[in-house]
Amino acid sequence: MPERVETTTPDGVDYGWVMQTTFVVTILVGAPLVAALSATTALPTWADRVEFAIRVGAPVWLVTSVVVFAYAKRNQT
């Protein structure tokens, strides 16, 4: 087995973990939320669909990132 190329020992919050977790949780929570909300909205063109996904997805991403960062900050070792 090859040796590990690099390791990190972050002081404070591990921002790499925060970014990866935010990405995964946003997809897991945001995609179904956008799909559910779009079922009740008329979206006749692709531009309308993209705008809707951004308007709903951006707040989901923002809330998720703040919650994940707060969790990491509170539980840092």
Side-chain angles (χ1 to χ4, degrees), residues 6-65:
E6 64 183 72
T7 59
T8 62
T9 54
D11 293 328
V13 175
D14 182 359
Y15 292 104
W17 180 86
V18 170
M19 290 178 5
Q20 291 172 357
T21 304
T22 298
F23 177 76
V24 171
V25 172
T26 300
I27 289 174
L28 291 175
V29 173
L33 181 64
V34 169
L37 292 175
S38 70
T40 62
T41 306
L43 301 169
T45 66
W46 280 104
D48 291 335
R49 294 172 187 158
V50 169
E51 182 182 346
F52 179 82
I54 291 171
R55 281 186 292 139
V56 173
V60 170
W61 174 84
L62 183 63
V63 168
T64 303
S65 63

